Amino acid sequence: MTEPDIKKGLAGVVVDTTAISKVNPETNSLLYRGYPVQELADTQPFEAVAYLLWNGELPTPEELAAFRVEERRHRALADNVKAAIDLVPLDAHPMDEVRTAVSLIGASDPGAGGSVLDAGGSPEQNLERSIRLFAALPAIVAYGQRRRRGQELIAPRDDLDYSANFLWMTFGEEADDVVVDAFNRSMILYAEHSFNASTFTARVITSTLSDIYSAVVGAIGALKGPLHGGANEAVLHIFDDIGTADNVVPWLDKALAEKRKIMGFGHRVYKKGDSRVPTMKAALDTLVEHYDRADVAELYDTLESEFVARKGIYPNLDYPSGPAYNLIGFDTLTFTPLFVAARVTGWTAHVIEQAGSNALIRPLSHYDGPDERHVEG
Ligand code: SDX
């Protein structure tokens, strides 16, 4: 019998179409609904990019104004969600807090109850749910960091747009424009990336006609892993472990001798470098100057040049994002929850697209266990 052509990890396998984003390793580019992500990061607030991912077009000024009113309506941390977060042990990973909070939001959604046959929801219902999750996640992530620091919850401010308000709720002070801009860029760059592991997880869950909240909770679980979203947190653990640039070579000698994966480098699709890195590195550079931290830039550049020279494997988006979030003041454990707050836009856009296709995702497997046998006696 001929061996089947198994594609481990679905590497290189095209399983469906999508109109949401195009990842092109040949040209090292990324388009959101046709727009180069670099142009969006240079010109748009994150709210406009979220709108684009869901609706397929950038908002007019009137549409953006209306969207901002709607987003502000759902920013405050609901009492029951705060109570659920407070039940999560302080030493649990913050991704478990975020997963728990989203799960409770879903369970509390009056429209998501009732018969499982209604779980999937209409496109209109799911767009409303997407906006609510988009608006609610900053307070969830900000409160998570503050409670771990023994600090009180900070209420949102309606006079601040999405990124500035996110930073306000986290740190309790108005961030400088250069910090807001760098943060806004990171959210746009993290928002969407076609069929990555967490997005595909959300699509598999949606393909059974389950609900959008279950899809997002599943996606959060997938994103937590260090081979995926958890890499931005792991990059800072590496930076802390190395300490200063003059320790890069010995550290890398040891890590590669132990055959360790160096987090923040490599990518399943991009093999000549991640198209998003130059834009995020430029944002990191503005933060290095703003906070006068040339030491961070030196460590970043030394590790990159050493690793690329030895392995020919290039940084991915998590490599510049980690030190950027560290400079802004986020705890390392908060980094992947920040990724959730951004990627919830891409995940939910894919949920809405998948729900419209009505096609159950169910691949085949090749059995290599024992031949058929029977219970004795
Ligand atoms: C994200 O898919 C997406 O779009 C994801 C993402 C998104 O926006 O959603 O872009 C976000 O997840 C970025 C990736 C973050 N992960 C990391 O930084 C973790 C470290 N990276 C590696 O684990 C790895 O590069 C992957 C998992 C990202 C991709 O790996 P592949 O494509 O499955 O390739 P592979 O693991 O088979 O590696 C091929 C070779 C191996 O060597 P050999 O076993 O053949 O000798 O390259 C080596 C690997 O050991 N290699 C690395 C490495 N990445 C690949 N060696 C050391 N360090 C690394 N980082």
Side-chain angles (χ1 to χ4, degrees):
M1 186 174 79
T2 54
E3 281 293 301
D5 178 17
I6 294 174
K7 303 288 188 190
K8 272 218 185 284
L10 294 178
V13 176
V14 179
V15 292
D16 205 339
T17 61
T18 180
I20 300 169
S21 71
K22 180 178 183 181
V23 178
N24 190 333
E26 283 68 47
T27 57
N28 200 5
S29 64
L30 171 60
L31 305 177
Y32 289 177
R33 300 284 191 181
Y35 290 99
V37 71
Q38 293 79 0
E39 282 181 33
L40 296 171
D42 287 343
T43 62
Q44 301 299 316
F46 184 39
E47 298 94 317
V49 174
Y51 186 100
L52 169 68
L53 292 172
W54 288 318
N55 297 288
E57 297 294 338
L58 282 167
T60 63
E62 296 74 25
E63 288 166 337
L64 180 57
F67 178 73
R68 280 177 153 152
V69 168
E70 177 65 7
E71 183 257 333
R72 280 163 168 73
R73 287 184 52 235
H74 303 289
R75 281 178 170 179
L77 190 64
D79 292 344
N80 65 337
V81 176
K82 180 180 183 298
I85 293 172
D86 287 340
L87 288 173
V88 178
L90 279 175
D91 60 359
H93 193 285
M95 287 291 275
D96 300 350
E97 266 173 14
V98 175
R99 193 183 63 222
T100 303
V102 170
S103 189
L104 186 75
I105 291 172
S108 314
D109 179 333
S115 156
V116 73
L117 294 174
D118 303 325
S122 68
E124 295 73 23
Q125 278 176 316
N126 283 331
L127 179 55
E128 281 170 26
R129 290 165 178 163
S130 304
I131 295 168
R132 283 210 295 274
L133 287 175
F134 167 75
L137 275 162
I140 293 166
V141 175
Y143 178 57
Q145 172 160 308
R146 293 188 66 81
R147 74 185 276 262
R148 276 189 301 283
R149 291 185 177 190
Q151 298 168 331
E152 291 302 310
L153 172 71
I154 290 181
R157 279 178 46 181
D158 280 349
D159 61 324
L160 299 175
D161 285 337
Y162 177 94
S163 291
N165 176 61
F166 202 147
L167 296 166
W168 162 258
M169 290 194 295
T170 306
F171 302 110
E173 56 190 41
E174 284 191 39
D176 294 333
D177 290 347
V178 67
V179 176
V180 174
D181 179 66
F183 184 75
N184 184 69
R185 287 166 183 268
S186 77
M187 301 308 271
I188 291 171
L189 294 168
Y190 265 132
E192 157 63 13
H193 212 240
S194 82
F195 284 12
N196 58 85
S198 55
T199 297
F200 192 63
T201 300
R203 289 191 76 119
V204 170
I205 292 170
T206 303
S207 80
T208 72
L209 300 187
S210 185
D211 66 289
I212 192 167
Y213 299 106
S214 298
V216 172
V217 166
I220 292 169
L223 191 73
K224 179 179 176 183
L227 292 190
H228 188 17
N232 60 9
E233 172 193 323
V235 168
L236 244 293
H237 295 319
I238 288 174
F239 274 38
D240 292 343
D241 199 22
I242 295 174
T244 54
D246 56 7
N247 190 33
V248 163
V249 170
W251 185 90
L252 204 50
D253 288 344
K254 183 171 180 295
L256 295 182
E258 292 164 355
K259 295 217 174 298
R260 283 174 53 187
K261 297 260 191 192
I262 312 303
M263 300 298 157
F265 288 87
H267 199 278
R268 171 60 63 80
V269 180
Y270 294 122
K271 293 305 180 188
K272 297 193 294 276
D274 183 326
S275 68
R276 301 163 293 185
V277 166
T279 305
M280 192 62 223
K281 177 60 170 59
L284 173 59
D285 291 344
T286 63
L287 295 170
V288 163
E289 187 182 346
H290 180 73
Y291 292 106
D292 192 21
R293 290 294 306 275
D295 60 307
V296 171
E298 190 188 7
L299 174 52
Y300 179 102
D301 293 339
T302 308
L303 178 57
E304 177 186 358
S305 55
E306 269 299 321
F307 187 68
V308 170
R310 296 189 197 197
K311 298 283 282 186
I313 297 170
Y314 294 88
N316 57 55
L317 177 57
D318 294 315
Y319 189 56
S321 301
Y325 289 147
N326 174 259
L327 287 177
I328 293 174
F330 289 106
D331 294 343
T332 301
L333 286 174
T334 306
F335 292 3
T336 311
L338 292 172
F339 197 156
V340 173
R343 187 54 60 90
V344 72
T345 57
W347 288 336
T348 50
H350 280 273
V351 165
I352 293 167
E353 184 178 68
Q354 179 70 42
S357 80
N358 226 347
L360 177 67
I361 298 173
R362 198 281 187 215
L364 296 178
S365 59
H366 172 67
Y367 176 73
D368 66 357
D371 291 336
E372 185 173 345
R373 54 186 172 166
H374 300 283
V375 175
E376 289 171 10

